[in-house]
Amino acid sequence: CSESVAASDEMFRLGPETLPIVIEALHDGDLDVQFMAIRACGRFHDPVAIQPLISCMRDGTRDYPYPPGVGSHRSFEDQCMELLIQSGPVAFDWLRESTKECDSHTRRRLPELIADRWGAEAVPPLIQLIEDSDHSVRAHVADKLGEIKDRRATDALVRHLCDPDT
């Protein structure tokens, strides 16, 4: 893992001309190479990397075995989602569409992650997510909108006071 982190950092330092190589590495059969590519794609914050990360996220049912002290066992799906969130609100439409295919745990994390990362900029996307079919996602959205305390969320929150899934 530490070698993969160093390799992704090195590719990032080499500049954006390495992005096509990094995107190609997302489909490598070696988990270390895929981890390096996911991490490097996220660091570039280039819109060109958004769709490849989403494709990787849709295919991301594997766990990457982090060594002790580096992190926790997280799926590639989680890794890709967090890196897309770092791209900012510009990635929200892609995130929303791609997480529809993800497991419910990942979908429940989305409101928290975007609210924590984007602050008040998360209000319009969260208002869209409050219409999610999963009641636990709607509950997480309501919690986050309440924490942000932005008046733009008032109407959406009032509409959901009568949500059938209390």
Side-chain angles (χ1 to χ4, degrees):
C1 178
S2 61
E3 290 174 10
S4 294
V5 169
S8 67
D9 291 348
E10 185 59 31
M11 292 200 92
F12 178 73
R13 279 193 289 279
L14 290 173
E17 59 274 1
T18 63
L19 188 57
I21 297 165
V22 171
I23 289 171
E24 187 176 324
L26 289 171
H27 306 290
D28 194 275
D30 185 310
L31 291 178
D32 285 329
V33 172
Q34 286 182 342
F35 174 76
M36 175 272 307
I38 289 169
R39 186 174 154 83
C41 273
R43 291 195 61 200
F44 280 113
H45 300 289
D46 189 317
V48 170
I50 290 174
Q51 197 59 47
L53 279 171
I54 287 172
S55 295
C56 190
M57 186 168 88
R58 286 182 176 148
D59 187 38
T61 55
R62 301 145 301 189
D63 285 336
Y64 186 82
Y66 289 90
V70 173
S72 61
H73 286 51
R74 293 186 2 227
S75 69
F76 277 36
E77 190 173 80
D78 286 349
Q79 278 280 39
C80 292
M81 184 173 70
E82 288 181 23
L83 290 167
L84 286 165
I85 287 167
Q86 290 177 18
S87 298
V90 67
F92 176 71
D93 289 335
W94 288 294
L95 274 165
R96 185 181 61 198
E97 285 305 309
S98 62
T99 56
K100 286 180 182 177
E101 300 173 22
C102 293
D103 64 30
S104 60
H105 169 74
T106 300
R107 289 180 55 227
R108 284 191 307 268
R109 289 188 59 229
L110 183 59
E112 178 181 348
L113 291 171
I114 65 173
D116 293 349
R117 180 77 175 170
W118 301 346
E121 287 183 274
V123 172
L126 288 172
I127 289 171
Q128 292 179 44
L129 285 176
I130 206 164
E131 303 298 333
D132 196 278
S133 61
D134 184 326
H135 67 35
S136 62
V137 172
R138 293 192 307 270
H140 279 84
V141 170
D143 286 343
K144 288 301 169 181
L145 286 171
E147 287 176 17
I148 294 173
K149 297 180 181 7
D150 190 302
R151 288 181 179 210
R152 295 175 291 172
T154 305
D155 290 340
L157 289 169
V158 168
R159 275 194 316 275
H160 287 311
L161 285 173
C162 297
D163 192 303
D165 295 309
T166 58

